[in-house]
């Protein structure tokens, strides 16, 4: 299992024991996901929702039809609040 997310949230996944591949935008996310899809050891890729929405439609359609990896979105965090 791998995670594709923005750099500012990667540390949280790595602290949980998951390997996070960072991408700042949809172009970088597409490159990372394509590379992971070519890796036979990767069966599941969790992708930050914001990055997944930035991917081209033809690319996401190919991912949906492919038997592997399973690509699943997770919600992008919102850093709102008043602090301490």
């Amino acid at each position: 299992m791998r995670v594709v997310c923005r750099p500012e949230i990667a540390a949280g996944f790595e602290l949980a024991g998951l390997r996070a591949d960072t991408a700042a935008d949809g172009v970088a996310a597409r490159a990372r996901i394509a590379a992971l899809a070519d890796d036979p050891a990767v069966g599941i890729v969790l992708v930050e929702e914001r990055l997944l929405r930035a991917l081209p439609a033809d690319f996401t359609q190919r991912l949906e039809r492919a038997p592997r990896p399973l690509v699943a979105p997770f919600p992008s965090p919102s850093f709102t609040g008043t602090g301490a």
Side-chain angles (χ1 to χ4, degrees):
M1 180 183 305
R2 297 286 283 273
V3 177
V4 177
C5 62
R6 290 176 295 132
E8 56 268 25
I9 63 172
F13 286 102
E14 290 174 346
L15 286 171
L18 296 172
R19 183 163 172 202
D21 296 272
T22 60
D25 57 25
V27 172
R30 179 181 179 169
R32 291 303 315 135
I33 295 167
L36 293 170
D38 287 339
D39 183 345
V42 176
I44 300 172
V45 180
L46 301 177
V47 181
E48 184 180 354
E49 186 176 51
R50 179 183 297 181
L51 295 174
L52 192 61
R53 283 193 314 258
L55 296 175
D58 65 325
F59 183 70
T60 56
Q61 288 169 357
R62 274 195 316 240
L63 291 173
E64 290 170 359
R65 289 191 305 266
R68 187 200 54 72
L70 170 66
V71 176
F74 67 89
S76 298
S78 61
F79 300 104
T80 60
T82 58

